[in-house]
Amino acid sequence: MASQTGLTRYNGSMGGIRHFKIKGLSGDYAAFVTPISGDRIKNSPEFARTRENMNEFSGCGIACSSLRTGVAPLLTQMAGRNFTSRITALMKKINLMNQTDARGYRAIQVSLYGKTLLKELDYDESLVLRNLISAAITVSHNETKESAMLTVAPIQADVNLSVPKGATHYRLIHMVSVLSDFAFDENTGYYEPLSPELNEKSVIAYSDYISVKENGTAPVEVTAQLTDAAGLAEAPVACIQSVGIEYVQQVNDTYTILKGSCAMKIADVY
């Protein structure tokens, strides 16, 4: 691979050479255009393994999209720039843990393997929850999985909070979203959710606004209740329980979220 040092720049390819950027590296790079056609990749026996990898990667992308849809109401506020790529990589790890289905068609069993891989994932690697609030956080759920509880130990403002400049209050956020397992469907030619009626359901619950100067004397509890979600306990789905905090500034009766003052993580997958 060559590195371009001259001033001439163009888009696309010329003379069998293409120029491109590499994320994280400076300068322009060049490489020969591949002589392999798309039709050859799709049909030639020598690219069978490539097609298998492409099919499963597509399925991981579909599962990632469903996860994003489930947490969409808070995605813009909480997720970092590389959230999608990190989730897709974890979906691929989940996909590879399937030892039953044929290669190229392995199901994405989030309900079995996502419990360890997704748990404790921060939505934004550069703004993690533990850096904004250090009080002990406990999560739980009932047997039907429809109701989940967030409990935060009594919060001492000067000990447990990292209050951004200008913040007057904060509130705790508790979200539960449902993500189905996915399997390849020969009829559609795509990966499909095994529980489409439950997939992407979600609920968000908030605590009251609490002054950043207030020292708590009791735990803060926030319950999130999924509706129209009967059968969760038996279905091939994972419930993704996320907890977070947002700092705000109060002006009269209006609370404004401050930039860079929010964080969320996946506290449990059940």
Side-chain angles (χ1 to χ4, degrees), residues 180-255:
S180 172
D181 290 350
F182 282 76
F184 184 77
D185 188 322
E186 292 184 357
N187 295 319
T188 65
Y190 294 99
Y191 275 78
E192 304 286 356
L194 294 180
S195 293
E197 71 284 357
L198 294 172
N199 190 44
E200 301 177 1
K201 282 186 174 291
S202 66
V203 61
I204 305 173
Y206 296 89
S207 71
D208 294 332
Y209 285 108
I210 304 169
S211 170
V212 296
K213 298 181 180 179
E214 179 180 332
N215 288 320
T217 58
V220 180
E221 297 183 342
V222 186
T223 300
Q225 180 74 41
L226 287 163
T227 58
D228 300 321
L232 272 176
E234 298 79 26
V237 301
C239 293
I240 299 173
Q241 189 173 11
S242 301
V243 301
I245 189 172
E246 63 181 18
Y247 286 94
V248 300
Q249 184 179 81
Q250 182 185 20
V251 178
N252 298 321
D253 294 329
T254 302
Y255 294 92

Side-chain angles (χ1 to χ4, degrees), residues 42-230:
K42 291 179 181 179
N43 298 293
S44 176
E46 64 186 299
F47 288 99
R49 183 57 54 84
T50 300
R51 291 193 294 273
E52 292 171 354
N53 293 337
M54 291 171 60
N55 192 52
E56 290 187 342
F57 187 79
S58 174
C60 292
I62 293 171
C64 176
S65 179
S66 269
L67 188 152
R68 283 176 54 89
T69 299
V71 302
L74 292 174
L75 201 59
T76 301
Q77 178 182 336
M78 296 294 184
R81 295 175 61 183
N82 63 345
F83 178 78
T84 297
S85 61
R86 291 163 59 213
I87 292 295
T88 303
L90 290 174
M91 288 300 168
K92 185 56 187 173
K93 288 184 178 180
I94 293 170
N95 171 232
L96 292 174
M97 295 177 78
N98 182 316
Q99 300 296 314
T100 304
D101 300 323
R103 184 186 175 94
Y105 303 95
R106 287 172 289 197
I108 303 167
Q109 299 170 301
V110 185
S111 63
L112 293 179
Y113 306 117
K115 296 178 181 180
T116 54
L117 290 176
L118 293 173
K119 188 175 179 180
E120 297 298 324
L121 179 79
D122 285 292
Y123 279 55
D124 189 340
E125 288 181 307
S126 64
L127 195 60
V128 300
L129 184 64
R130 65 177 178 273
N131 290 340
L132 294 184
I133 179 170
S134 61
I137 294 174
T138 305
V139 292
S140 59
H141 59 274
N142 67 354
E143 290 185 3
T144 66
K145 299 186 178 182
E146 295 175 67
S147 181
M149 176 71 76
L150 163 66
T151 303
V152 181
I155 300 169
Q156 304 302 304
D158 58 343
V159 175
N160 302 128
L161 300 178
S162 297
V163 182
K165 184 178 180 180
T168 61
H169 293 74
Y170 67 93
R171 65 176 177 175
L172 302 172
I173 307 171
H174 185 198
M175 176 168 61
V176 177
S177 58
V178 182
L179 181 63
S180 172
D181 290 350
F182 282 76
F184 184 77
D185 188 322
E186 292 184 357
N187 295 319
T188 65
Y190 294 99
Y191 275 78
E192 304 286 356
L194 294 180
S195 293
E197 71 284 357
L198 294 172
N199 190 44
E200 301 177 1
K201 282 186 174 291
S202 66
V203 61
I204 305 173
Y206 296 89
S207 71
D208 294 332
Y209 285 108
I210 304 169
S211 170
V212 296
K213 298 181 180 179
E214 179 180 332
N215 288 320
T217 58
V220 180
E221 297 183 342
V222 186
T223 300
Q225 180 74 41
L226 287 163
T227 58
D228 300 321

